[in-house]
Amino acid sequence: MRLSPAMLWRTRIPRYRLVGRECLECGRRHYPPRPVCPHCGSRRLRDVVLPRTGTVETYTVIYTVMEGFRDRAPHVIALVRLDDGTRVLAPLTDVDPSGVSTGMRVEATLRRIRVDGDTGLIGYGLSFRPLMEPRQGASK
Amino acid sequence: MRKSGIVGWGAYIPRYRIRASEIATLWGWEPGVPHGLGVEEKAVAGVDEDAVTIGVEAARNALRRAGVDPARIGAVFFGTESKPYAVKPSATIVAEALGITPNTMASDLEFACRAASEGMRAALGLVESGFIEYGLAVGADTAQASPGDVLEFTAASGGAAFVLGPAGDSVAVLEDVYTYVTDTPDFWRRGLSPYPAHGEGFTGEPAYFHHIESAVRGLLEKTGLRPSDFDYAVFHQPNGKFPLRVAKKLGFPREKVLPGLVTPHVGNTYNGSALLGLARVLDQARPGQRILVAPFGSGSGSDAYSFIVTDRIVERQILAPRVDDYIARKTYADYATYAKMRGLYIRTTF
Ligand SMILES: [Zn+2]
């Protein structure tokens, strides 16, 4: 699996910072960013930083993984509804498949998504993990 | 008091743990060895984590507490001895992920476990000289140890990050700092070697103890402070025992060390080690308290800092997860799973 420097470089901001697009015609958002609004077809779009927390709407557990993903099998891929309503398809990490359920709260995290062998590039990108809220109140 | 300090702090510890007893059993160590090191279990990075992802998590927490627009950060220093790329900066990945790019300095520093501390010193100096408004120093490691080496009990994954800035916006103002370095070969790793080597008995007295004691004594002499003036004392913690012993030699009581002692719970996170201890102290410190922190790096050197906590700390403590939240959040891995996470299996396909 060869990772292209141009592809990684071009897509780094959406992958690193969860930047999606908002349509100036219909007001709806999507991720990853596309040149045309998937909801209404408009090309009038602006970049927006999406909220980093959301809820698992549905998910699938992949045992027959693509080449390059055996070390993280079974691979859990989830459709996450972010807190602004935007739906994002991304891996879940730091979970055992038996611990995943629809409705679970998750937050975005930067992880190694793909690694090009021992000598190629490392593709960092978006994953979601179970939400860890800061505790309220005074410390111990 | 100086004109700079810590504006925000953040920690990150991966979810996975392996018990030291499991390592002892697998490699046939005498069962009392982990207890002798004062380490019960250690944190292990997941298969999709590395020093960069750990550093980003810690830095994100530090930025949440600092409440500073990332674009105002003018320097990113990344201290690690677990660089994902031998050549290609980690600091630019961290800076890009957090929205600090492009108008910033960025570099990776190497000084074994002390690199991030030197990054703090450099950032504080750049703030005081007026070159930058805020700086970010990150210490993160996925520490390597040869399987079966005694180092394997402690070599752990984790990190801490600090936003440094003007004293007027600080939760802990720098009072003074003193650094002591020499060429002392106690621990090293050559370019193509996957695991570090260490000078056995040489790592203690001539390295760890001599350098930390010299730095702390230098700071006390320079400032006229005494151990009794400090509320907390945080030292580099390669195991659970050395920091208590160096504290005793310097005249700091055990109860001032325990709040900043994290290695017994998560292992030695190298560049995260003393700085995670400092983060845990900041999680609980109260205005007016004085903190001593003395990171150490093999090769060898130590920095002794004195910080004074300000009123701003209380409101920022609740803005991100605390070190104790990360210590409590854990999933145990057996040795076979740990070996997969650490890449210890030889495989022909990727
Ligand atoms: Zn639209």
Side-chain angles (χ1 to χ4, degrees), chain A residues 12 17 68 93 109 124 139, chain B residues 48 50 57 85 96 322 350:
Chain A
R12 72 195 189 283
R17 296 188 204 159
T93 189
T109 176
Y124 293 94
S139 78
Chain B
D48 58 354
D50 62 19
E57 295 273 2
Y85 290 95
E96 194 89 273
R322 288 161 221 226
F350 301 99

Side-chain angles (χ1 to χ4, degrees), chain B residues 108-134:
Chain B
D108 293 9
L109 305 180
E110 194 283 310
F111 195 124
C113 299
R114 173 189 163 265
S117 175
E118 183 113 323
M120 280 177 58
R121 277 213 69 165
L124 291 163
L126 287 165
V127 168
E128 292 201 15
S129 64
F131 272 106
I132 63 172
E133 198 179 2
Y134 295 95

